[in-house]
Amino acid sequence: MPASPSTARAINDRLALRLLQQEGPLTAGRLKQLTGLSRPTVADLVERLTASGLVRVVGESGEQRRGPNARVYGIVADRAHLAALDVRTEGVSVVVSDLVGHVLAEASVPIGGDTGTVPAVEQAVALVERVAKEAGSLGATPARELVRGWGRLHTVGIGAPGLIDPDTGELRDSSGLPAWHRRLAAALQERLPEARVLIENETNLAALAEQRDGVARDRDTFVLLWLGHGTGAAVVLDGALRRGASGGTGEIGFLPVPGTTTLPSATDCEGGFHSLAGSAAVAALAAEHGVSAEPDAHEPHAAALVRQAVAAPGSPAADGFLDALADRLAIGAASVIAVLDPGCVVLGGEVGRAGGAALATRVEQRLVRMSPLPTEVRASTLGGGAVLRGALLTARDGAQDELFAPPSSR
């Protein structure tokens, strides 16, 4: 059945907004070319979007630079603000951006392992509030715009380690993670009642970021192998992130593998792939080969060690370390490939980015020998920052889905 006039208008409006978000400011004529809509239809939708406060004239284009045809329209970026959090066992990083993703303010705070649950939650929430105020999201916006809701924190995206319950959307209890992780989302929702709070597994968010802005932009099917303090994997099949029946797709740290002294348990991944590729295991492997590096407080020590080895090509110690590490990573990657046949594996996280092409090539060469399924191995271009980027993309998608919806459906 043909769409009703109101439905057709809503579809056209969302199409135009998506193009403005993807392409940047456009003239009405360019919108007509990209959408295939008639000139009167484009004129009507531009008028509607301008009246709703979602689009405004941001400049003029063309030789004459005057008149309706020269006007360049863009999304009203300060229509809403977004916050993204990267929650780690040792601290929290926060970014606040406008509706199109331009970063307005950012900061991090360490949270010690001996910090109690309540103080830890308070530190994290206070950081969000501080960064939001710095960005003008909690009171610094002119009063006339706050009345309309402009500049407020609209959506908060959180990336955290652990399993997300597919039924409740909440972080599941885990004996291996700090209790304050599970309390944080609820605390933020209580402190920011007007905002929408979303939480997702950190590795899944990293895969989203690599798919949108990173090394997997040309792939609709791939697996991201997270290599940081711990290990994890994210699975994207036919363009969609797959979470599994219990939200546990990609818990590769629990994968039983050869080369360890024990087997993992339901509550402890020691003895699984984590014991071969986690930061502590990689650091121990580097020490065996005589590779050392100055630690950096902002990343796992394994990343500094791998970066040091990559920077010393031809060194027997460095090459031996990278070869041994590639042997280990290929074991986990081959297991995933045998089941999913993704065609592409991204070595993500801080360690994956530090290894770059030197490590990715080594892993790919081993997979050629281990698996009959052709698989390209790529190094992350976003590294540890992929989690924060993915959380911001999730928050932006959530906000735009609501703000770009027809008024009757909001």
Side-chain angles (χ1 to χ4, degrees), residues 26-222:
L26 300 168
T27 63
R30 184 59 177 153
L31 276 172
K32 175 182 178 297
Q33 292 176 343
L34 293 174
T35 61
L37 300 173
S38 67
R39 188 178 300 275
T41 299
V42 170
D44 288 343
L45 73 82
V46 167
E47 183 177 352
R48 283 194 303 274
L49 294 176
T50 302
S52 68
L54 290 173
V55 165
R56 65 183 169 205
V57 177
V58 296
E60 293 186 332
S61 176
E63 294 182 0
Q64 300 301 320
R65 293 186 179 276
R66 61 185 180 184
N69 293 335
R71 292 172 187 163
V72 178
Y73 298 91
I75 291 175
V76 180
D78 56 357
R79 181 66 177 83
H81 287 176
L82 317 168
L85 283 73
D86 181 0
V87 178
R88 305 290 180 98
T89 55
E90 70 277 5
V92 177
S93 296
V94 176
V95 165
V96 172
S97 82
D98 60 24
L99 186 58
V100 296
H102 297 141
V103 174
L104 304 174
E106 57 187 318
S108 300
V109 64
I111 298 179
D114 57 350
T115 307
T117 299
V118 173
V121 169
E122 182 55 36
Q123 285 184 50
V125 173
L127 178 68
V128 174
E129 291 183 324
R130 176 166 64 84
V131 177
K133 287 178 181 177
E134 182 181 340
S137 308
L138 293 179
T141 306
R144 67 180 181 275
E145 298 210 339
L146 283 176
V147 170
R148 301 176 64 183
W150 288 21
R152 289 286 193 185
L153 267 187
H154 183 283
T155 306
V156 179
I158 304 174
L163 304 182
I164 306 299
D165 189 311
D167 295 325
T168 65
E170 298 177 351
L171 191 64
R172 288 170 51 183
D173 190 15
S174 173
S175 58
L177 296 172
W180 63 269
H181 284 193
R182 294 189 68 241
R183 304 281 184 84
L184 181 56
L188 281 170
Q189 191 67 79
E190 181 178 349
R191 195 76 65 90
L192 303 168
E194 296 180 358
R196 181 184 181 191
V197 178
L198 308 172
I199 187 166
E200 178 59 274
N201 172 267
E202 59 177 356
T203 308
N204 287 344
L205 290 178
L208 173 64
E210 294 288 356
Q211 184 184 35
R212 296 274 196 90
D213 298 333
V215 74
R217 281 174 292 182
D218 62 334
R219 306 290 307 201
D220 62 358
T221 295
F222 69 97

Side-chain angles (χ1 to χ4, degrees), residues 315-329:
S315 162
D319 287 346
F321 167 51
L322 292 175
D323 286 341
L325 178 56
D327 289 340
R328 293 184 175 192
L329 298 181

